[in-house]
Amino acid sequence: MSTPTAEQLTAALATVQDPEIKRPITELGMVEHLEVDDAGLVRVTVLLTVSGCPMKDTIDRDVRRALAGVDGVTGVELTLGAMTSEQRAELQTNLRGGKPAKEISFAQPGSLTKIFAIASGKGGVGKSSVTVNLALSLAKAGRTVGLVDADIYGHSIPAMLGIADSKPTQVEDMIMPVPTPSGVSVISIGMLKPRRDQVVAWRGPMLDRALVQMLADVYWGDLDVLLLDLPPGTGDMAISLGQHLPNAEVVVVTTPQEAAAEVAERAGTMASMLHQRVVGVIENMSFLVCPHCGPSHQLELFGSGGGERVAATLSGRFGYDVPLLGRVPIEETLREGGDTGKPVVDSDPTAESARVLAGIAEHLDGRGRGLAGRQLGLTPSDRF
Ligand SMILES: Nc1ncnc2c1ncn2[C@@H]1O[C@H](COP(=O)(O)OP(=O)(O)OP(=O)(O)O)[C@@H](O)[C@H]1O
Ligand SMILES: [Mg+2]
Ligand SMILES: [Zn+2]
């Protein structure tokens, strides 16, 4: 057996991505030292972006696995180090690609990222459940998905995705979104607080700064889709979002009853006033399948017609079609999925609620734009 070459080893290391930045570690200046002796023992030093990086174990495992797969490698001695602040500053400059700080790339004219803000009139209608399931469905379809939990009251997204206690890694003043096992990158406004149990009265300028931070200071990379879970109602967050991401499209979630529909219409109208397009309405908790009769008997616990009504009202108001995208039934499996951090489209994909939500994701995905399947004609280094 011949000794592996530096090229072979570097090529193997290039298959290892930083789990947060989602780029090869070889391109990020993370491989500091690499040598191999005549017996095929590889000594490698990999620099983490910060010491105590939460993704340490993943990198450790991936590096060992990649090197072990090279012909002639008999052993791997891996040292994990941490970048110096100079190295971090250099990485940050690289990732930014010379662009100034505080620029929201998604709002730039050439951006290919589709943005969907999930809005509702009132709380508790299932906005966050809808958001995580749409995100996961899109990720399953091969899209690169980012999720911003901008709900200042609840910020329940991390728990619903099983990353409740995760803190984002910070590289200088750039924040790395938290990756989920399902491939969605997440930032929650709750993660910006020093402590989880801290109560912050998010208002006006402070809330605006938090939103800009989540959009501009977070290294999202090239996303196909960005989803935002908005706080219920028509408050400061909706206004800030309208100012910073006028190109966001809005999905309105409502429950079937009259009173919910009325406030949902207001949330939709607010989006339109801010020049955002409302792309559709999702009715949640539409019915419960009768435990005795089965699917032929739907119990309408929360009334009926809300989704249709919001869709019709908004279509009339805006002069374009705002369709009802789907009706999601009440199912225990959906609630369980949220409670256990495994959304229903993953944990029970054949459940009716999962099928409806996956179908809505497919519909939204089909509405043009996005990076997927496009030939961009960029060399890897241009993508920084
Ligand atoms: N279709 C459904 N079937 C069963 N349970 C549901 C359904 N939709 C939502 N739930 C449950 O209802 C509760 C509220 O849902 P969720 O947190 O998604 O709503 P929300 O609109 O984001 O609420 P909030 O305003 O508190 O953020 C959760 O426990 C969730 O699991
Ligand atoms: Mg919520
Ligand atoms: Zn029945």
Side-chain angles (χ1 to χ4, degrees), residues 180-203:
T180 69
S182 40
V184 176
S185 301
V186 182
I187 279 293
S188 169
I189 195 161
M191 294 172 182
L192 303 182
K193 299 187 298 189
R195 289 194 333 268
R196 217 177 130 194
D197 59 354
Q198 192 178 25
V199 177
V200 179
W202 295 104
R203 301 175 56 216

Side-chain angles (χ1 to χ4, degrees), residues 149-212:
D149 177 8
D151 191 341
I152 45 177
Y153 308 112
H155 35 80
S156 54
I157 294 284
M160 285 182 168
L161 288 171
I163 51 164
D165 297 315
S166 303
K167 274 266 168 202
T169 302
Q170 191 151 351
V171 177
E172 300 303 288
D173 50 8
M174 195 179 260
I175 301 166
M176 299 302 153
V178 177
T180 69
S182 40
V184 176
S185 301
V186 182
I187 279 293
S188 169
I189 195 161
M191 294 172 182
L192 303 182
K193 299 187 298 189
R195 289 194 333 268
R196 217 177 130 194
D197 59 354
Q198 192 178 25
V199 177
V200 179
W202 295 104
R203 301 175 56 216
M206 184 193 180
L207 191 152
D208 193 81
R209 266 199 306 278
L211 179 68
V212 171

